Amino acid sequence: MKIPDSTYMMENGSIELPCTPEEEARIIQELISKAESNLKQGNLYYVISNRWFMDWQRYIRKLLGAYPFNELATESLPSLLPNSANRPGPVDNSDIIIREADSGDDDPQLLRTLEEGRDYVLVPQEVWEKLSEWYKGGPALPRKMISVGDAKQLSVEVFPLCLNLFDTRDKSHKALWLSKKASLHELYTIVCKLKEIAPEKAHIWDYFDKKKHTKLVASNQTLEDSNLQMDQDILLEVQPEGSLPSGFGFDSTGNDLALVPVEPLRSSVTIAGGPTLSNGFSTGYSSNAYQGSSLNSSYGDMEDGYDSLRPASKGERGGLAGLSNLGNTCFMNSALQCLVHTPPLVEYFLQDYTDEINRQNPLGMHGELALAFGELLRKLWSSGRTPVAPRAFKGKLGRFAPQFSGYNQHDSQELLAFLLDGLHEDLNRVKQKPYFETKDSDGRPDEEVANELWRYHRVRNDSVIVDICQGQYKSTLVCPDCNKISITFDPFMYLSLPLPSTATKTMTVTVFYSDGSGLPMPFTVTVLKHGYIKDLAQALEIACCLRIDEYLLLAEVYDHRVFRYFENPTEILNSVKDDEHIVAYRLPKRVAQLTRLEISHRYLEKCIIDSSKASERKLFLTPLVTFLEDPHNGADIDFAVHKVLAPLRRKAFISSAPGLKDGAENGSPSETIEVPMNSCTIQFGREGQSTECIDPVGNSSMELTFHLCLTDERGTNCRPVTKDTVIEPVRMQKVILDWTEKEYELYDASYLKDLPEVHKSGLTVKKTKQEAISLFSCLEAFLKEEPLGPDDMWYCPRCKEHRQASKKLDLWRLPDILVFHLKRFSYSRWLKNKLDTFVNFPIHNLDLSKYVKSTDLSESSHVYELYAISNHYGGLGGGHYTAYCKLIDDDRWYHFDDSHVSPVAESDIKTSAAYVLFYRRVKAQQNGVVGGSFQCHRSS
């Protein structure tokens, strides 16, 4: 295909370009598709400013999915993009790069705060080369595709690892950017070339936090596996001519001494303000400097130097060490502090748990995650108040859960869920899981079914995490069609509770009578701001006095058409914008067996300026919805239209219509409006001539009363309706009513004009302050019965179909450690939101007895007390995480803000930032003392 040449004006003058906007879109789309089919490690992708890229998409009138792992999406943009846009200038990435002299123009770096999709897009190398050929500009920002995690997932490394090189000779420092997959050998090569020194003279040290940790030996080990972090320091020492290599010496006998790295002295001033445990030396310190190119041992990369499996004890004032922030890792630090202050976990990981490690579990991490967590817990409980850098743990986390690798902000609850599950699988005492086929309840007693399923679960899952953290809930599903009841009992690790909002808003909806028994009437109701369509429908049912045999069909009207029906009761109200127009049609509940009739209105507009042009018909007024009783022909539709329009008849014509009376009956107004016979304001052509009012009931032998035509879903095709038109039995029939002068004389169309907006903001609107809600309200919202969403349909074994069943949850068995996740973050197709609602949660004596449905009297106490909180401050895409944790032995609360630890009063821990709550079961009173030690129940 020959590509046409065209000339376009650009900011830098007129240039010759190879193709049209449509051709540009086609070429780029083909290049993206080709790149997606050839994903592999080492491929180059280029970062482009989203600001420029959107300008280009407006120009080509297409939306392209540029990210290589998203499904390619190409669609027209009639609403998102303007009808016309000028060709953009050269590619301009200036708004996303760091303007620093140190970065150099030849190697510009990206701003750290950028988000993909919002600030930049990624395009394959071939796409960048084509755009660069067409538009020039830049700078070019190439990035490599790498594999991350044990699963070798492919990902573009947008932010390479930045290391600060300190040279001991001249105290200079230089920023280096390398891939985290680069080897230590590559690091040596780059440093030696930069400093112009021989490789054998160079010694590079891990200099994290300005302390010499481990000598980095030139090998194939990657920077990531060496636990090097973003923006950390590395130290360059150069061996002088004729001197011995650094670290070697002689003892009194002249024998060479082995290289033993010594941990530098810790500062005597700590974040928490207390003394350090020791003089700064660690007798248990071991180095991985000579581990070789690979880490064959699970313990080889434990930077903290403790034997994870030997019994240990809490250090003096243990549990008051903070965690260093390694770059947006506050989410990890917050979750970790809550876990390492969980009493039974502290007790467990300070013991010898050698026999508990499950290295063969295919669902686990070969025991490495449990070892890394145990190592970190011991360090935190043994280091006094000196902050700990969890580098080894973060390395393991990124390896087994690539979604947490890198240095972006993540969710502390998501990390907590992964960590609890991962620790369970690594410590699962079951080496070979037996198979059990679950059975339906089939009317058996709940206690029998629950105990059976819990026994099956424990035979396959037996770990300290299950011992203390897992409970069981009852799930009841009811089919809406056949009323089949299915009861199951499922384990849970934590409970994610919705926040029932107390914020309200007013919504105005116009209600129409589908049987023609009353005039349309607007109703303004108050609903929860974050409620559902079913909440709006329920409020309207009360407001309009809906009969027991009716239901409301809600719809959005746009441009005189029914744009969409709200037939999913669980759709959130936030999907309805304030400036939209919502209507509700009163329909009989038996409408499922009837044919629904949707009536749109159209008038004839004559072109006055140019009489040579043909007249055109345009939609106007509000569509009506009614129903047909066993329709056969066009006369049935004609009668249904007559019936639904009956309330709009003018007073002068009411007497001519048999069966219609004055007065306010079934919602009709007490007075009708007198309108002059010659009040029609629109001029019509020949087919619009007035005729006498005809009673359609006795009109079987005459023509139809109205000009009607059948139309399709999009309203593009019209087929005139005659008395003998055959009506097929369908669920929905759409017609268009052409208004003539006769209709304007007979009916008052003002009732179908100017629908009110859903919500009109103004000074008269009373703004109410968000009220506090209780933890019990959140729990009740979690346990209440509600229908499943359309994307979560249940397969009914009796109907043999997927059904939108109703679901009811009940608590059945509670664990010793009960974790509540407050769902502050909500995501939908249209918006993302964070709720800062204050949740009033009890610190002591949280009694859940009334929510537990099991009648087993041997069940432990259902009273809990709070011991930790993960907090989130700020909004979406950012913010900051901290933790409040209680030291049980001291009976005091502390605030853990990364490396900073400080005491906090119990009265101050209740805030609107509370995100994840950790409770422990209160044991029965023993000798006047509430509580008692936790026991980890291990299988024999």
Side-chain angles (χ1 to χ4, degrees):
M1 174 180 177
K2 184 180 185 299
I3 299 175
D5 294 337
S6 303
T7 301
Y8 298 93
M9 293 295 296
M10 295 183 63
E11 295 178 359
N12 58 351
S14 178
I15 61 173
E16 194 77 14
L17 292 165
C19 56
T20 64
E22 293 74 20
E23 283 297 318
E24 284 190 24
R26 183 189 62 78
I27 292 172
I28 296 301
Q29 180 179 336
E30 289 177 355
L31 292 175
I32 292 176
S33 300
K34 183 178 179 181
E36 284 185 321
S37 64
N38 188 34
L39 293 179
K40 61 182 179 181
Q41 187 174 344
N43 284 0
L44 276 183
Y45 282 80
Y46 281 74
V47 182
I48 297 181
S49 166
N50 195 48
R51 183 183 63 178
W52 184 90
F53 197 73
M54 282 302 296
D55 286 343
W56 178 71
Q57 288 183 111
R58 291 188 184 96
Y59 169 69
I60 65 170
R61 297 282 297 153
K62 294 286 183 183
L63 184 64
L64 301 178
Y67 191 64
F69 311 116
N70 288 345
E71 182 181 353
L72 181 63
T74 305
E75 56 183 275
S76 299
L77 303 175
S79 57
L80 179 62
L81 303 180
N83 291 329
S84 62
N86 295 325
R87 187 179 182 86
V91 178
D92 183 9
N93 287 331
S94 61
D95 61 320
I96 60 173
I97 61 174
I98 301 173
R99 288 296 185 182
E100 292 181 1
D102 189 45
S103 66
D105 293 336
D106 57 333
D107 189 22
Q109 296 300 316
L110 295 171
L111 295 166
R112 296 286 180 83
T113 57
L114 301 181
E115 290 184 23
E116 184 183 356
R118 184 193 70 182
D119 304 299
Y120 69 88
V121 295
L122 292 168
V123 299
Q125 180 178 2
E126 297 81 2
V127 172
W128 165 258
E129 290 173 350
K130 184 59 66 175
L131 292 175
S132 182
E133 174 189 337
W134 290 340
Y135 293 93
K136 313 302 180 189
L141 302 169
R143 295 294 186 266
K144 278 187 178 181
M145 178 175 280
I146 61 174
S147 64
V148 294
D150 275 9
K152 305 300 181 184
Q153 298 178 13
L154 293 178
S155 175
V156 177
E157 188 177 32
V158 177
F159 297 96
L161 187 64
C162 180
L163 300 174
N164 297 314
L165 176 67
F166 279 81
D167 193 332
T168 56
R169 296 173 299 175
D170 56 7
K171 311 301 181 185
S172 64
H173 62 88
K174 171 70 176 177
L176 305 176
W177 282 274
L178 300 91
S179 170
K180 63 183 179 181
K181 294 298 183 180
S183 66
L184 292 176
H185 180 79
E186 291 176 75
L187 174 64
Y188 267 85
T189 300
I190 292 172
V191 171
C192 291
K193 182 178 180 181
L194 177 68
K195 295 295 183 176
E196 298 180 344
I197 54 177
E200 63 271 12
K201 299 291 184 182
H203 303 281
I204 303 177
W205 292 81
D206 178 347
Y207 198 51
F208 181 83
D209 204 19
K210 297 293 190 295
K211 298 172 185 176
K212 289 174 69 173
H213 291 271
T214 306
K215 182 179 177 182
L216 303 174
V217 179
S219 65
N220 290 329
Q221 182 172 311
T222 66
L223 304 184
E224 180 183 40
D225 291 338
S226 303
N227 293 326
L228 297 179
Q229 305 296 311
M230 177 70 79
D231 294 326
Q232 84 153 73
D233 301 325
I234 55 176
L235 186 70
L236 172 64
E237 291 181 340
V238 180
Q239 179 183 330
E241 293 292 336
S243 65
L244 290 172
S246 173
F248 284 84
F250 297 89
D251 64 10
S252 58
T253 62
N255 293 327
D256 290 351
L257 294 175
L259 174 62
V260 180
V262 178
E263 187 179 25
L265 289 173
R266 295 191 180 101
S267 170
S268 61
V269 179
T270 67
I271 292 295
T276 55
L277 257 182
S278 64
N279 61 1
F281 291 89
S282 173
T283 57
Y285 188 87
S286 62
S287 171
N288 65 351
Y290 293 97
Q291 295 281 330
S293 60
S294 63
L295 302 179
N296 297 322
S297 169
S298 297
Y299 329 107
D301 54 354
M302 292 299 178
E303 64 179 353
D304 301 324
Y306 290 88
D307 188 336
S308 297
L309 302 179
R310 291 182 181 177
S313 60
K314 298 178 184 178
E316 181 185 358
R317 302 290 293 168
L320 292 180
L323 288 166
S324 301
N325 192 316
L326 305 178
N328 279 333
T329 57
C330 59
F331 77 97
M332 180 182 77
N333 294 345
S334 173
L336 285 173
Q337 289 289 8
C338 293
L339 286 181
V340 301
H341 286 87
T342 298
L345 288 182
V346 175
E347 178 185 336
Y348 178 87
F349 281 100
L350 291 181
Q351 298 180 53
D352 180 356
Y353 54 99
T354 308
D355 295 337
E356 304 273 294
I357 300 295
N358 190 335
R359 304 179 194 279
Q360 287 75 43
N361 188 353
L363 301 178
M365 291 80 177
H366 317 297
E368 295 184 44
L369 185 67
L371 287 169
F373 177 79
E375 182 81 4
L376 181 61
L377 181 144
R378 289 167 175 247
K379 182 74 172 178
L380 288 168
W381 279 95
S382 306
S383 64
R385 302 191 178 193
T386 303
V388 175
R391 296 193 296 163
F393 178 82
K394 186 179 184 302
K396 293 292 184 187
L397 184 66
R399 175 180 165 192
F400 294 115
Q403 65 269 31
F404 298 118
S405 64
Y407 302 92
N408 294 326
Q409 185 66 276
H410 295 282
D411 190 307
S412 67
Q413 186 273 331
E414 292 179 1
L415 172 67
L416 178 72
F418 168 80
L419 192 52
L420 287 175
D421 188 63
L423 290 175
H424 157 63
E425 296 295 354
D426 268 6
L427 299 171
N428 196 348
R429 304 170 188 121
V430 180
K431 308 304 180 184
Q432 295 292 332
K433 294 186 177 184
Y435 171 76
F436 292 100
E437 184 174 351
T438 58
K439 307 173 185 176
D440 203 350
S441 57
D442 287 332
R444 292 184 292 159
D446 284 349
E447 295 286 351
E448 177 186 335
V449 179
N451 290 334
E452 175 185 276
L453 292 176
W454 184 250
R455 186 171 61 253
Y456 289 169
H457 175 68
R458 288 307 305 260
V459 169
R460 294 172 53 85
N461 301 276
D462 183 19
S463 71
V464 61
I465 303 300
V466 177
D467 292 342
I468 66 175
C469 293
Q470 283 200 354
Q472 187 182 35
Y473 63 80
K474 174 185 176 182
S475 175
T476 305
L477 289 170
V478 180
C479 178
D481 293 297
C482 70
N483 293 320
K484 162 71 176 175
I485 298 177
S486 175
I487 298 176
T488 58
F489 294 84
D490 302 306
F492 68 85
M493 196 93 72
Y494 53 87
L495 299 176
S496 290
L497 307 184
L499 271 59
S501 175
T502 58
T504 60
K505 65 182 288 188
T506 59
M507 300 185 73
T508 301
V509 177
T510 305
V511 178
F512 291 82
Y513 288 82
S514 63
D515 60 358
S517 60
L519 286 167
M521 184 72 67
F523 291 91
T524 300
V525 294
T526 300
V527 292
L528 291 173
K529 188 175 182 181
H530 300 287
Y532 301 90
I533 288 296
K534 64 180 180 181
D535 300 320
L536 175 59
Q538 289 172 0
L540 286 169
E541 288 171 6
I542 296 173
C544 72
C545 301
L546 196 72
R547 296 197 305 265
I548 193 172
D549 60 342
E550 291 181 309
Y551 84 102
L552 289 180
L553 174 64
L554 274 67
E556 178 190 349
V557 172
Y558 176 75
D559 197 22
H560 309 295
R561 301 175 187 269
V562 174
F563 181 71
R564 58 171 170 160
Y565 289 103
F566 296 99
E567 296 187 280
N568 175 17
T570 60
E571 183 173 349
I572 59 174
L573 286 178
N574 281 334
S575 66
V576 180
K577 303 297 184 290
D578 288 348
D579 59 350
E580 291 177 354
H581 303 281
I582 305 300
V583 297
Y585 302 105
R586 301 176 65 143
L587 291 166
K589 287 184 177 179
R590 59 189 180 91
V591 77
Q593 288 81 43
L594 306 176
T595 296
R596 190 191 303 171
L597 180 66
E598 181 187 301
I599 308 162
S600 298
H601 309 273
R602 191 166 59 175
Y603 70 90
L604 187 67
E605 182 184 66
K606 294 191 67 176
C607 299
I608 301 174
I609 299 177
D610 188 355
S611 59
S612 62
K613 291 184 178 179
S615 300
E616 64 174 322
R617 300 179 185 274
K618 290 189 175 182
L619 292 179
F620 77 137
L621 304 181
T622 303
L624 298 173
V625 173
T626 184
F627 54 92
L628 299 170
E629 298 265 10
D630 190 24
H632 295 91
N633 51 45
D636 295 323
I637 292 181
D638 189 72
F639 176 70
V641 173
H642 172 84
K643 181 178 66 173
V644 77
L645 287 178
L648 307 184
R649 278 182 173 269
R650 300 186 190 277
K651 185 176 181 180
F653 290 91
I654 288 180
S655 60
S656 66
L660 295 177
K661 302 179 180 180
D662 291 335
E665 186 175 341
N666 293 329
S668 298
S670 58
E671 294 183 8
T672 53
I673 304 173
E674 281 279 8
V675 180
M677 294 281 290
N678 58 355
S679 62
C680 182
T681 56
I682 300 180
Q683 300 296 322
F684 295 92
R686 180 166 50 87
E687 65 267 36
Q689 294 174 356
S690 177
T691 60
E692 293 183 359
C693 178
I694 301 173
D695 178 11
V697 178
N699 188 37
S700 59
S701 62
M702 303 181 64
E703 292 300 321
L704 297 183
T705 308
F706 302 101
H707 292 268
L708 299 167
C709 64
L710 298 174
T711 185
D712 56 16
E713 283 290 328
R714 292 187 289 180
T716 53
N717 298 320
C718 279
R719 183 163 56 91
V721 176
T722 65
K723 179 170 61 71
D724 299 322
T725 299
V726 177
I727 305 301
E728 299 293 336
V730 293
R731 181 172 179 270
M732 166 75 80
Q733 184 69 65
K734 294 189 176 186
V735 298
I736 295 179
L737 166 61
D738 285 317
W739 281 60
T740 66
E741 186 175 346
K742 177 192 69 175
E743 278 72 42
Y744 267 96
E745 291 177 350
L746 287 174
Y747 301 104
D748 186 353
S750 64
Y751 288 102
L752 303 181
K753 290 182 180 178
D754 303 325
L755 288 174
E757 293 182 352
V758 167
H759 181 76
K760 198 76 171 178
S761 302
L763 299 177
T764 58
V765 177
K766 182 181 179 181
K767 294 183 179 180
T768 58
K769 184 179 180 181
Q770 174 73 52
E771 300 177 11
I773 58 176
S774 71
L775 181 64
F776 295 104
S777 299
C778 300
L779 183 57
E780 288 164 2
F782 172 75
L783 298 175
K784 75 175 182 180
E785 182 177 356
E786 60 182 3
L788 296 174
D791 297 329
D792 192 24
M793 304 280 271
W794 172 62
Y795 182 79
C796 177
R798 183 180 296 169
C799 297
K800 307 298 183 183
E801 296 284 345
H802 284 90
R803 303 295 189 195
Q804 194 170 2
S806 62
K807 184 176 183 179
K808 175 71 172 71
L809 297 178
D810 291 296
L811 298 182
W812 191 264
R813 189 188 311 265
L814 296 181
D816 285 342
I817 298 299
L818 184 56
V819 180
F820 291 112
H821 162 226
L822 303 178
K823 298 172 69 173
R824 295 192 176 277
F825 301 100
S826 62
Y827 304 90
S828 71
R829 180 181 178 183
W830 306 106
L831 76 158
K832 300 178 181 180
N833 184 45
K834 185 204 172 183
L835 300 176
D836 287 313
T837 308
F838 176 76
V839 177
N840 188 12
F841 49 88
I843 299 175
H844 304 284
N845 299 319
L846 170 64
D847 190 352
L848 300 175
S849 300
K850 72 174 185 178
Y851 299 103
V852 179
K853 299 304 180 182
S854 173
T855 58
D856 186 357
L857 298 179
S858 65
E859 181 74 16
S860 302
S861 165
H862 298 142
V863 179
Y864 289 80
E865 71 171 14
L866 188 72
Y867 71 89
I869 308 172
S870 176
N871 301 305
H872 180 270
Y873 300 89
L876 291 166
H880 183 60
Y881 288 91
T882 67
Y884 291 131
C885 299
K886 184 178 183 179
L887 266 65
I888 306 299
D889 295 340
D890 295 346
D891 195 27
R892 293 191 63 185
W893 284 88
Y894 291 88
H895 184 210
F896 293 83
D897 186 356
D898 288 332
S899 57
H900 182 77
V901 181
S902 58
V904 61
E906 184 174 272
S907 58
D908 294 333
I909 66 173
K910 286 188 179 184
T911 70
S912 59
Y915 183 45
V916 186
L917 305 174
F918 294 76
Y919 284 87
R920 66 177 190 136
R921 193 195 303 272
V922 177
K923 303 297 184 181
Q925 287 195 351
Q926 299 174 358
N927 299 325
V929 179
V930 177
S933 61
F934 286 87
Q935 299 295 326
C936 299
H937 309 288
R938 303 186 182 187
S939 301
S940 57

